[in-house]
């Protein structure tokens, strides 16, 4: 059975420049498409990928990643903004690796483009009034 998944990979600093993901193709017959990649302020690598391949290969590939210290998060959870709580302080704007927040230069209001969000969770800790919420 062929599986097709979108996942977030978080690489600790020691793995950021290692060719971990390319081994998924070579050793595990998986196809991958990098949707987004960035390095967070904590120097952690963050990558959103689409992976596809046979279920068995996928499971082995994921095991290979996790045993090498890569944290995997599925995109099934949603991060939403509680509009009543947001004070438009802007603390989330630079921290978001996918630029899901935008400041209107005229009004200084911060808009949230949830279609860009990959649910990495970084803004949740960074938001002073805790306006960013995870919904499962
Ligand atoms: S950090 Fe929180 S309160 Fe500040 S702009 Fe972002 S969502 Fe709004
Ligand atoms: S969880 Fe927050 S920081 Fe992460 S991608 Fe979504 S909006 Fe950006």
């Amino acid at each position: 059975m062929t599986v097709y998944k979108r996942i977030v990979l978080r690489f600790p600093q020691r793995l950021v420049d290692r060719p971990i993901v390319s081994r998924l193709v070579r050793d595990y017959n998986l196809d991958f498409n990098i949707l987004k990649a960035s390095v967070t302020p904590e120097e952690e690598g963050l990558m959103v990928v689409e992976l596809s391949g046979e279920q068995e290969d996928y499971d082995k590939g994921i095991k290979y990643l996790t045993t090498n210290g890569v944290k995997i998060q599925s995109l099934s959870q949603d991060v939403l903004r509680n509009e009543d709580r947001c004070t438009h302080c802007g603390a989330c704007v630079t921290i978001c690796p996918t630029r899901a927040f935008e400041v209107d230069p005229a009004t200084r209001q911060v808009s949230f483009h949830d279609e860009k969000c990959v649910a990495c969770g970084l803004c949740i800790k960074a938001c002073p009034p805790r306006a960013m919420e995870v919904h499962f």
Side-chain angles (χ1 to χ4, degrees), residues 24 33 38 44 68 86 89 109-110 132:
L24 291 175
N33 181 18
S38 62
E44 183 189 57
N68 276 283
C86 176
C89 69
Q109 295 283 293
V110 177
M132 301 307 294

Side-chain angles (χ1 to χ4, degrees), residues 35-126:
L35 301 176
K36 281 165 192 144
S38 62
V39 175
T40 69
E42 292 83 29
E43 304 280 302
E44 183 189 57
L46 190 136
M47 204 181 265
V48 184
V49 293
E50 285 176 337
L51 278 180
S52 59
E54 291 302 309
Q55 179 78 58
E56 199 183 332
D57 292 331
Y58 178 83
D59 293 343
K60 284 182 190 162
I62 293 294
K63 193 165 175 208
Y64 158 73
L65 291 173
T66 52
T67 52
N68 276 283
V70 179
K71 288 191 202 134
I72 315 255
Q73 185 184 317
S74 78
L75 285 182
S76 55
Q77 65 187 31
D78 252 350
V79 172
L80 302 176
R81 183 163 77 171
N82 183 330
E83 299 297 334
D84 295 338
R85 285 195 171 187
C86 176
T87 58
H88 299 271
C89 69
C92 53
V93 176
T94 51
I95 211 163
C96 175
T98 64
R99 299 198 167 83
F101 298 97
E102 190 183 9
V103 185
D104 183 315
T107 63
R108 309 304 299 166
Q109 295 283 293
V110 177
S111 51
F112 173 48
H113 302 286
D114 61 354
E115 72 284 357
K116 292 188 181 172
C117 173
V118 297
C120 71
L122 287 175
C123 60
I124 293 168
K125 284 181 267 170

